[in-house]
Amino acid sequence: MNKKDPNPIDAFVGSRVRMRRLMVGLSQEKLADGLGITFQQVQKYEKGTNRIGASRLQAIADILGVHPSFFFQQDNGKPQSRETAADIHESHEISSFVASKEGIALNRAFLKIADPVLRKKIISLVAAMANTPEAEQTAIPSGDRRSEALHG
């Protein structure tokens, strides 16, 4: 790791701060005002460039309405464990996407789909388009394939 590169844990925590901030619809400026700092400092926290101290993390958690442990949890709800560099990189990519405007919009829209079968079909479609291993796991068995509408 280069001395200039952010520590992967700082980057992970920062990405979780960004994700939660966007989820509650708070701007960097509003979060910064609540903390008594500049929005540039919030940017550095979110990128992992600057570490967040314990008392500052507690203040961020209070403003964003979560427990401080939220910032250390992976998407599966478990606290971050010892992982390989590749695992941390993938986790950071996922967190970065989920924290992006597109990721939040996609998640909000997806959560409004009540039909679990339709949800699985959408995941299968996207996985097939991306040619990912998930496409094989969620594929419809060949005997069940019909030319039916996505929701039918």
Side-chain angles (χ1 to χ4, degrees):
M1 185 167 74
N2 185 336
K3 188 153 176 90
K4 298 276 185 188
D5 290 339
N7 179 293
I9 294 172
D10 294 332
F12 181 82
V13 169
S15 72
R16 298 284 293 180
V17 169
R18 176 176 168 76
M19 178 178 65
R20 181 63 185 172
R21 179 181 60 75
L22 291 172
M23 285 172 66
V24 299
L26 201 64
S27 69
Q28 287 179 333
E29 292 84 4
K30 293 284 186 191
L31 179 56
D33 287 346
L35 297 169
I37 60 175
T38 65
F39 79 91
Q40 291 94 338
Q41 184 65 37
V42 171
Q43 285 177 332
K44 290 178 181 181
Y45 287 156
E46 289 182 356
K47 290 178 183 176
T49 307
N50 286 6
R51 290 184 174 167
I52 305 172
S55 60
R56 179 67 43 88
L57 189 63
Q58 180 66 57
I60 291 170
D62 290 344
I63 292 168
L64 298 179
V66 292
H67 190 273
S69 65
F70 170 86
F71 302 113
F72 297 95
Q73 292 176 337
Q74 296 173 337
D75 294 328
N76 61 10
K78 296 179 184 173
Q80 190 170 8
S81 60
R82 300 273 181 216
E83 299 176 286
T84 66
D87 291 337
I88 291 171
H89 179 70
E90 181 181 17
S91 180
H92 180 66
E93 283 182 339
I94 291 169
S95 293
S96 293
F97 171 71
V98 171
S100 71
K101 289 181 181 180
E102 295 88 359
I104 289 173
L106 182 63
N107 278 296
R108 283 185 177 148
F110 188 80
L111 289 172
K112 291 181 181 177
I113 300 170
D115 181 0
V117 174
L118 179 56
R119 283 181 173 204
K120 285 183 180 181
K121 288 181 179 182
I122 291 169
I123 292 168
S124 181
L125 172 66
V126 173
M129 292 170 63
N131 197 23
T132 65
E134 289 88 358
E136 296 168 14
Q137 294 171 358
T138 60
I140 299 170
S142 59
D144 293 346
R145 289 180 195 252
R146 296 177 213 116
S147 60
E148 59 182 324
L150 182 62
H151 53 68

